[in-house]
Structure formats: structure tokens, C-alpha cells
Amino acid sequence: MIKIKTREEIELMRESALIVSRTLGILAKEVKPGVTPLQLDKLAEEFIRDNGAEPAFLGLYDFPNSLCMSPNDQVVHGIPTNKPLEDGDIISIDCGSYKNGFYGDHAYTFPVGNVDEKTLQLLQVTKESLYEGVRAFRAGNRIGDVGNAIQVYAEKYGYGIVRELVGHGIGREMHEDPEMPNYGKKGRGKKFVEGMVVAIEPMVNMGTQKIKQHKDGWTITTKDNLPSAHFEHDVAIVDGKPELLSTFKYIYDALGIESNEEDEFRQIKI
Ligand code: MG
Ligand code: MG
């Protein structure tokens, strides 16, 4: 059952989402060769707790850490390790928070040091595909419209869209209805209405869409071991239109990147 949120609930969800956004902003400064995922995980946990929230992934379905950290050919759900990041790596960082009874959940894939052009393009296209999906999340559209927008955009580049893992509704539970696939047909599936809040999160592989699961029960990698990228936003339908509750602004501020890609989805203060 899809749980519709009131304006007041959406404001509380924005608070949870922005704690994640700010956490990713803190991490953006620290993602460099030599740092270990476990160091970043500790930093994130401290920052989330210092802001009166709980790290939502810690203990969720028995996950052992606060961040899912998935380097290179890992798609999602990577467990933070002591292996230092290396120049030329990419690392997907997925972060969750819980505050005032609501969850925030979003993700960004960072380049580490100097990354080759081909891989940088994968990151850029995956992020753009996320905005294609966000744009289609509006009252009157359907689940397939979002999936189709993401799929059509990413497949133009010959990339593989992961099928087994999807976006989701979010609210008082981390994972609520509906499932939000990153592929699909226009006009299919449930219709979107005012007050829906979802996490849209394309997982895009440079090569095959196929994945495999590791023995640890968590880590997902690409079947061909080519790189994979993952970007995620929390989005509400307000006045019929998509409104971002999370933002990459803090990441861009930390890295000195100028971007206006979020402008059309931001009717609000940060
Ligand atoms: Mg996530
Ligand atoms: Mg999610």
C-alpha cells in the first residue's frame, strides 16, 4: 500500500534527507586516494548522530555499517572495508538517516583522484538519468514513465540498467511501496498522486546489466566486472510536480562544482 504524506510529513522527510545530503557533503572532501571506506563510515556515523539522527542503514536487515560503500565494479550494498581507495577508483556511497520518525536515503558516486574519461562519462550519464527519472515523477504519470525515462537515457550510451534492484517509496519505513524500477514502459504501472515520496536510484553498468551477489550476502557486483554507478534522490510530489528533498549541493560546494541541474526541482529553501 502506498502511503501518502502530508505537507508536514514531507517537511520532516526533507529534514532527514538533508542530513544525508550534508553527510555526503562532508564525505566529498575526504574521498581521496589512501582513505579507507571504514574511516569514511565512522565519519558519517558521527556526523549523523551529532545532528540528532540515527544512521539508518546500521542494523537495517542486519547490515553492519552506516554507509553502503561500493567501489568500481560493485553496484550497491558494499560493506565498508579497510582497503584504501586508490587513484582512478570510483566509489558509490549510499547513506541513510532516521529522524523524527522518518527516513532519508540517498547516494552519489564519487571519482577518486584522476579517473579515466570513459568512467567519468558513466558517472555523468547515470546522474543525468536520475534527473530524467525525477522529471517524470509527477501527478498523473505512472511508474513506467519514470523507469522508461531512465532506461532510454542510459541505454543510448550502451550502458546496462540493473534489473534486480530498484528504487522505492520511503517514509516511516526505509522501503515502502511502490517499487520504482529503473526500466519500463511508458504509461504502465500505478499512477502518481500528490503527496507520494519515493527514492529514485538508477544503478547503471558500463557493460552488461547482469550482476552477481557475493558470499557475504550483501555486496553486488557487475557480472563482467566493469564499473557501475549509482545516484539517488528522495523526491516528493508537491503541487503535482517533483520536488527534491535531498540535494547534491553540499557535495558540489565541497568540490567547487557549479551545477544548475537541480534548479527546476527545487521550489524550496535548503
Ligand atoms: Mg540508498
Ligand atoms: Mg534507496
Side-chain angles (χ1 to χ4, degrees):
M1 195 188 75
I2 296 173
K3 294 183 183 123
I4 301 304
K5 277 77 181 179
T6 64
R7 289 288 176 105
E8 291 74 20
E9 288 173 327
I10 287 173
E11 287 314 306
L12 292 174
M13 292 198 67
R14 190 194 311 281
E15 203 178 317
S16 300
L18 288 178
I19 286 171
V20 176
S21 304
R22 289 165 59 211
T23 306
L24 293 174
I26 298 281
L27 298 175
K29 289 187 207 124
E30 308 298 328
V31 171
K32 47 190 147 191
V35 75
T36 71
L38 271 173
Q39 288 170 325
L40 298 176
D41 183 71
K42 188 163 180 290
L43 201 62
E45 179 174 354
E46 283 171 7
F47 184 81
I48 292 167
R49 292 194 191 282
D50 286 350
N51 283 280
E54 297 288 320
F57 294 168
L58 186 63
L60 185 71
Y61 315 120
D62 291 328
F63 189 76
N65 291 87
S66 296
L67 299 175
C68 292
M69 301 190 70
S70 311
N72 301 323
D73 65 345
Q74 293 186 13
V75 178
V76 286
H77 301 167
I79 296 172
T81 66
N82 264 323
K83 185 176 180 291
L85 300 180
E86 292 179 21
D87 190 53
D89 283 349
I90 56 170
I91 180 125
S92 300
I93 303 183
D94 196 350
C95 179
S97 76
Y98 182 73
K99 189 176 182 179
N100 299 322
F102 288 95
Y103 285 94
D105 168 28
H106 85 118
Y108 194 91
T109 302
F110 295 89
V112 182
N114 300 298
V115 171
D116 67 80
E117 286 298 323
K118 209 174 149 197
T119 307
L120 287 176
Q121 180 186 276
L122 173 70
L123 303 193
Q124 183 64 27
V125 169
T126 305
K127 186 163 54 126
E128 287 166 1
S129 78
L130 165 60
Y131 290 109
E132 292 297 314
V134 170
R135 206 165 278 129
F137 180 59
R138 54 183 65 239
N141 273 5
R142 293 176 183 271
I143 287 176
D145 294 314
V146 169
N148 184 264
I150 293 168
Q151 180 180 13
V152 165
Y153 191 82
E155 286 184 349
K156 271 194 301 200
Y157 294 83
Y159 296 151
I161 303 278
V162 173
R163 299 298 202 271
E164 292 87 342
L165 300 147
V166 297
H168 50 93
I170 181 167
R172 291 190 183 277
E173 304 292 333
M174 168 67 82
H175 297 117
E176 296 186 354
D177 287 338
E179 290 196 342
M180 296 286 293
N182 299 302
Y183 59 92
K185 292 197 164 65
K186 277 187 184 175
R188 299 278 180 88
K190 285 216 168 76
K191 199 183 267 191
F192 301 132
V193 296
E194 183 77 9
M196 278 181 73
V197 184
V198 299
I200 299 178
E201 49 178 317
M203 288 150 262
V204 179
N205 300 344
M206 187 181 282
T208 179
Q209 69 192 46
K210 295 203 171 108
I211 57 171
K212 55 192 177 188
Q213 178 147 31
H214 282 225
K215 291 194 197 82
D216 64 16
W218 284 105
T219 313
I220 307 281
T221 58
T222 57
K223 198 159 188 193
D224 57 10
N225 297 116
L226 288 174
S228 181
H230 177 217
F231 289 83
E232 178 177 20
H233 268 315
D234 298 334
V235 199
I237 297 182
V238 177
D239 295 332
K241 293 179 302 215
E243 183 168 306
L244 290 182
L245 304 184
S246 52
T247 176
F248 296 141
K249 175 187 184 299
Y250 299 100
I251 295 171
Y252 297 150
D253 286 352
L255 301 178
I257 294 170
E258 280 194 32
S259 169
N260 62 2
E261 67 203 357
E262 293 183 358
D263 288 356
E264 70 174 290
F265 309 114
R266 183 162 300 295
Q267 294 106 40
I268 42 91
K269 63 281 174 184
I270 294 175

PDB file of all heavy atoms in Angstrom, residues 9 15 65 68 82 87 93 104 117 125 132 213 226 243:
ATOM      1  N   GLU A   9       4.472  16.157   6.986  1.00  0.00           N
ATOM      2  CA  GLU A   9       5.342  14.961   6.950  1.00  0.00           C
ATOM      3  C   GLU A   9       6.449  15.134   5.915  1.00  0.00           C
ATOM      4  O   GLU A   9       7.591  14.718   6.139  1.00  0.00           O
ATOM      5  CB  GLU A   9       4.495  13.722   6.644  1.00  0.00           C
ATOM      6  CG  GLU A   9       3.617  13.310   7.823  1.00  0.00           C
ATOM      7  CD  GLU A   9       2.643  12.192   7.482  1.00  0.00           C
ATOM      8  OE1 GLU A   9       2.163  12.118   6.327  1.00  0.00           O
ATOM      9  OE2 GLU A   9       2.340  11.403   8.389  1.00  0.00           O
ATOM     10  N   GLU A  15      13.954  17.097   6.274  1.00  0.00           N
ATOM     11  CA  GLU A  15      14.992  17.197   7.300  1.00  0.00           C
ATOM     12  C   GLU A  15      15.878  15.947   7.309  1.00  0.00           C
ATOM     13  O   GLU A  15      17.110  16.036   7.337  1.00  0.00           O
ATOM     14  CB  GLU A  15      14.310  17.388   8.667  1.00  0.00           C
ATOM     15  CG  GLU A  15      15.208  18.035   9.684  1.00  0.00           C
ATOM     16  CD  GLU A  15      14.491  18.266  11.014  1.00  0.00           C
ATOM     17  OE1 GLU A  15      13.322  18.709  11.012  1.00  0.00           O
ATOM     18  OE2 GLU A  15      15.113  17.999  12.047  1.00  0.00           O
ATOM     19  N   ASN A  65      27.071  -1.644   8.950  1.00  0.00           N
ATOM     20  CA  ASN A  65      27.688  -0.311   8.961  1.00  0.00           C
ATOM     21  C   ASN A  65      26.660   0.782   8.673  1.00  0.00           C
ATOM     22  O   ASN A  65      25.501   0.500   8.394  1.00  0.00           O
ATOM     23  CB  ASN A  65      28.827  -0.250   7.932  1.00  0.00           C
ATOM     24  CG  ASN A  65      30.006  -1.109   8.355  1.00  0.00           C
ATOM     25  OD1 ASN A  65      30.033  -2.298   8.057  1.00  0.00           O
ATOM     26  ND2 ASN A  65      30.934  -0.529   9.087  1.00  0.00           N
ATOM     27  N   CYS A  68      26.636   2.179   2.844  1.00  0.00           N
ATOM     28  CA  CYS A  68      26.948   1.172   1.837  1.00  0.00           C
ATOM     29  C   CYS A  68      27.995   1.808   0.935  1.00  0.00           C
ATOM     30  O   CYS A  68      27.756   2.896   0.388  1.00  0.00           O
ATOM     31  CB  CYS A  68      25.724   0.794   1.014  1.00  0.00           C
ATOM     32  SG  CYS A  68      24.465  -0.093   1.949  1.00  0.00           S
ATOM     33  N   ASN A  82      38.754  -2.002   5.122  1.00  0.00           N
ATOM     34  CA  ASN A  82      39.999  -1.305   5.464  1.00  0.00           C
ATOM     35  C   ASN A  82      40.881  -1.082   4.252  1.00  0.00           C
ATOM     36  O   ASN A  82      42.013  -0.631   4.393  1.00  0.00           O
ATOM     37  CB  ASN A  82      40.780  -2.153   6.480  1.00  0.00           C
ATOM     38  CG  ASN A  82      40.498  -1.669   7.886  1.00  0.00           C
ATOM     39  OD1 ASN A  82      40.355  -0.463   8.114  1.00  0.00           O
ATOM     40  ND2 ASN A  82      40.399  -2.598   8.817  1.00  0.00           N
ATOM     41  N   ASP A  87      43.919   5.933  -6.492  1.00  0.00           N
ATOM     42  CA  ASP A  87      43.753   6.877  -7.585  1.00  0.00           C
ATOM     43  C   ASP A  87      43.130   6.162  -8.788  1.00  0.00           C
ATOM     44  O   ASP A  87      43.591   5.079  -9.166  1.00  0.00           O
ATOM     45  CB  ASP A  87      45.122   7.452  -7.967  1.00  0.00           C
ATOM     46  CG  ASP A  87      44.992   8.618  -8.929  1.00  0.00           C
ATOM     47  OD1 ASP A  87      44.252   9.561  -8.623  1.00  0.00           O
ATOM     48  OD2 ASP A  87      45.611   8.551 -10.014  1.00  0.00           O
ATOM     49  N   ILE A  93      28.629   5.848  -2.705  1.00  0.00           N
ATOM     50  CA  ILE A  93      28.326   5.940  -1.276  1.00  0.00           C
ATOM     51  C   ILE A  93      26.837   6.168  -1.107  1.00  0.00           C
ATOM     52  O   ILE A  93      26.292   7.153  -1.586  1.00  0.00           O
ATOM     53  CB  ILE A  93      29.115   7.072  -0.593  1.00  0.00           C
ATOM     54  CG1 ILE A  93      30.623   6.878  -0.801  1.00  0.00           C
ATOM     55  CG2 ILE A  93      28.768   7.125   0.900  1.00  0.00           C
ATOM     56  CD1 ILE A  93      31.492   7.914  -0.088  1.00  0.00           C
ATOM     57  N   GLY A 104      15.616   9.198   5.532  1.00  0.00           N
ATOM     58  CA  GLY A 104      16.224   9.812   4.353  1.00  0.00           C
ATOM     59  C   GLY A 104      17.178   8.790   3.764  1.00  0.00           C
ATOM     60  O   GLY A 104      17.756   7.992   4.508  1.00  0.00           O
ATOM     61  N   GLU A 117      38.294   9.094 -18.647  1.00  0.00           N
ATOM     62  CA  GLU A 117      37.137   9.773 -19.259  1.00  0.00           C
ATOM     63  C   GLU A 117      35.934   8.851 -19.424  1.00  0.00           C
ATOM     64  O   GLU A 117      34.785   9.256 -19.240  1.00  0.00           O
ATOM     65  CB  GLU A 117      37.524  10.321 -20.642  1.00  0.00           C
ATOM     66  CG  GLU A 117      38.406  11.562 -20.596  1.00  0.00           C
ATOM     67  CD  GLU A 117      37.719  12.743 -19.912  1.00  0.00           C
ATOM     68  OE1 GLU A 117      36.499  12.902 -20.083  1.00  0.00           O
ATOM     69  OE2 GLU A 117      38.407  13.494 -19.195  1.00  0.00           O
ATOM     70  N   VAL A 125      26.421  10.276 -16.952  1.00  0.00           N
ATOM     71  CA  VAL A 125      25.187   9.792 -17.594  1.00  0.00           C
ATOM     72  C   VAL A 125      24.241   9.175 -16.555  1.00  0.00           C
ATOM     73  O   VAL A 125      23.021   9.369 -16.619  1.00  0.00           O
ATOM     74  CB  VAL A 125      25.520   8.784 -18.716  1.00  0.00           C
ATOM     75  CG1 VAL A 125      24.259   8.077 -19.207  1.00  0.00           C
ATOM     76  CG2 VAL A 125      26.225   9.493 -19.864  1.00  0.00           C
ATOM     77  N   GLU A 132      16.387  12.574 -15.333  1.00  0.00           N
ATOM     78  CA  GLU A 132      15.357  12.191 -16.308  1.00  0.00           C
ATOM     79  C   GLU A 132      14.197  11.499 -15.589  1.00  0.00           C
ATOM     80  O   GLU A 132      13.025  11.736 -15.879  1.00  0.00           O
ATOM     81  CB  GLU A 132      15.929  11.267 -17.382  1.00  0.00           C
ATOM     82  CG  GLU A 132      16.937  11.931 -18.320  1.00  0.00           C
ATOM     83  CD  GLU A 132      16.325  13.049 -19.127  1.00  0.00           C
ATOM     84  OE1 GLU A 132      15.224  12.856 -19.669  1.00  0.00           O
ATOM     85  OE2 GLU A 132      16.940  14.138 -19.198  1.00  0.00           O
ATOM     86  N   GLN A 213      25.908 -11.760  -6.781  1.00  0.00           N
ATOM     87  CA  GLN A 213      25.960 -11.460  -5.349  1.00  0.00           C
ATOM     88  C   GLN A 213      27.115 -12.204  -4.699  1.00  0.00           C
ATOM     89  O   GLN A 213      27.369 -13.363  -5.000  1.00  0.00           O
ATOM     90  CB  GLN A 213      24.644 -11.864  -4.675  1.00  0.00           C
ATOM     91  CG  GLN A 213      24.667 -11.618  -3.166  1.00  0.00           C
ATOM     92  CD  GLN A 213      23.320 -11.231  -2.613  1.00  0.00           C
ATOM     93  OE1 GLN A 213      22.300 -11.649  -3.133  1.00  0.00           O
ATOM     94  NE2 GLN A 213      23.312 -10.439  -1.563  1.00  0.00           N
ATOM     95  N   LEU A 226      32.984  -4.824 -15.013  1.00  0.00           N
ATOM     96  CA  LEU A 226      33.142  -3.431 -15.451  1.00  0.00           C
ATOM     97  C   LEU A 226      32.490  -2.518 -14.410  1.00  0.00           C
ATOM     98  O   LEU A 226      31.666  -2.956 -13.614  1.00  0.00           O
ATOM     99  CB  LEU A 226      32.507  -3.237 -16.838  1.00  0.00           C
ATOM    100  CG  LEU A 226      33.277  -3.888 -17.994  1.00  0.00           C
ATOM    101  CD1 LEU A 226      32.491  -3.775 -19.310  1.00  0.00           C
ATOM    102  CD2 LEU A 226      34.660  -3.255 -18.160  1.00  0.00           C
ATOM    103  N   GLU A 243       9.516  17.443  -6.390  1.00  0.00           N
ATOM    104  CA  GLU A 243      10.312  18.345  -5.564  1.00  0.00           C
ATOM    105  C   GLU A 243      11.391  17.530  -4.848  1.00  0.00           C
ATOM    106  O   GLU A 243      11.077  16.561  -4.150  1.00  0.00           O
ATOM    107  CB  GLU A 243       9.400  19.046  -4.545  1.00  0.00           C
ATOM    108  CG  GLU A 243      10.150  20.056  -3.703  1.00  0.00           C
ATOM    109  CD  GLU A 243       9.206  20.947  -2.898  1.00  0.00           C
ATOM    110  OE1 GLU A 243       8.299  21.558  -3.501  1.00  0.00           O
ATOM    111  OE2 GLU A 243       9.367  21.004  -1.672  1.00  0.00           O
TER     112      GLU A 243
END
